Amino acid sequence: MKLVRFGPVGMERPGMIDEQGRLRDLSAVVGDIEGRTIGPEALDRLRALDVSGLPVIDDAVRLGVPVANVGKIVAIGLNYTDHAKEAGRPIPEEPVVFMKATTSLCGAYDDTIKPRQSIKLDWEVELGIVIGTLARSVSESQALSHVAGYCLVNDVSERHFQNERGGTWDKGKSFDTFCPVGPWLVTPDEIGDPQNLAMRLDVNGKRMQTGSTANMIFACATLIRYVSEVMTLMPGDILITGTPPGVGLGMKPPVFLHVGDVVTLGIDGLGEQRQTIVADTRGA
């Protein structure tokens, strides 16, 4: 099952992609796609729906973040051996955990705003895990039972702020529009093994990242177990799981994003994203 939220920013409505690939409006069935509506029983009710009578929405509509009211975004760094090497970092013995601000969330096709002080804007294709039921100190064997679904994420990063401005990574990861999610939230029954998904990212049509979730250092179940030991994961929280090699920082010489560049990315079964890099023209 592929769940979406569509419409203008701040006015998104819940939807579902039917078997013919059409977007159906779920507004008459559920208030929104959020923590309280993505537990197992709620998803079973949506799965049992006869959607043939629900309104079909024009393909041109904007798709927003596929889950509303995200409480927190927990991110994992250096979770692919080759990416750790290209970053000049040791292979982690434990997961590297950082946070992205929820204000960085945006839709899969929304523009990426280049911060005014940005000099090292970078990309990272990642698998996102959306939590469906409260997870606190869960076992690894039970970890995936807490998953509502998976999604495609671009962990947009400003490396100067991340690595050269002191403190933690978070400030280089949390600018507005630095966390495009979607286009869909895909339930686990459609994905099967989350450790066998091909990943890719292009910049201006040139392939930069090619990878597979099979090459994670710490698998999805391990990450949920680990993170749930140090913080409670709530329904609707998003856990993003690291990126394969091929980021701009790792190029020789490094390559970074500029206004006008176009980033496209995808993960098998989770759809594709497209972002255009734009200047920050907003007022203070």
Side-chain angles (χ1 to χ4, degrees), residues 68-116:
N69 302 318
V70 175
K72 56 183 172 290
I73 307 165
V74 185
I76 305 299
L78 308 175
N79 196 29
Y80 291 73
T81 300
D82 288 348
H83 174 54
K85 289 179 178 177
E86 73 177 355
R89 307 274 184 147
I91 306 304
E93 295 183 5
E94 295 192 30
V96 176
V97 179
F98 63 94
M99 309 292 284
K100 288 177 77 83
T102 55
T103 47
S104 68
L105 288 164
C106 64
Y109 303 101
D110 292 345
D111 293 337
T112 295
I113 299 171
K114 185 176 186 287
R116 291 184 176 89

Side-chain angles (χ1 to χ4, degrees), residues 158-205:
E158 213 300 328
R159 304 300 189 186
H160 177 62
F161 281 82
Q162 177 187 351
N163 297 322
E164 300 168 34
R165 296 287 294 266
T168 66
W169 290 4
D170 303 33
K171 62 182 176 290
K173 300 281 192 170
S174 291
F175 288 97
D176 292 354
T177 71
F178 271 30
C179 194
V181 178
W184 315 311
L185 168 63
V186 184
T187 51
D189 54 296
E190 284 208 19
I191 291 301
D193 183 4
Q195 303 305 150
N196 188 31
L197 304 175
M199 316 167 73
R200 58 201 174 274
L201 182 144
D202 297 353
V203 177
N204 299 328

Side-chain angles (χ1 to χ4, degrees), residues 179-273:
C179 194
V181 178
W184 315 311
L185 168 63
V186 184
T187 51
D189 54 296
E190 284 208 19
I191 291 301
D193 183 4
Q195 303 305 150
N196 188 31
L197 304 175
M199 316 167 73
R200 58 201 174 274
L201 182 144
D202 297 353
V203 177
N204 299 328
K206 180 180 179 181
R207 182 60 46 92
M208 297 296 191
Q209 289 186 278
T210 301
S212 170
T213 58
N215 297 324
M216 286 183 184
I217 298 170
F218 304 104
C220 295
T222 304
L223 294 175
I224 294 170
R225 188 269 304 165
Y226 184 90
V227 174
S228 77
E229 290 179 353
V230 298
M231 67 185 80
T232 299
L233 293 170
M234 299 296 294
D237 286 350
I238 301 176
L239 173 60
I240 61 176
T241 58
T243 196
V247 300
L249 180 67
M251 304 288 176
K252 299 187 184 303
V255 175
F256 297 113
L257 294 167
H258 302 282
V259 171
D261 287 343
V262 176
V263 179
T264 55
L265 56 149
I267 296 179
D268 285 358
L270 297 178
E272 298 185 343
Q273 295 188 0

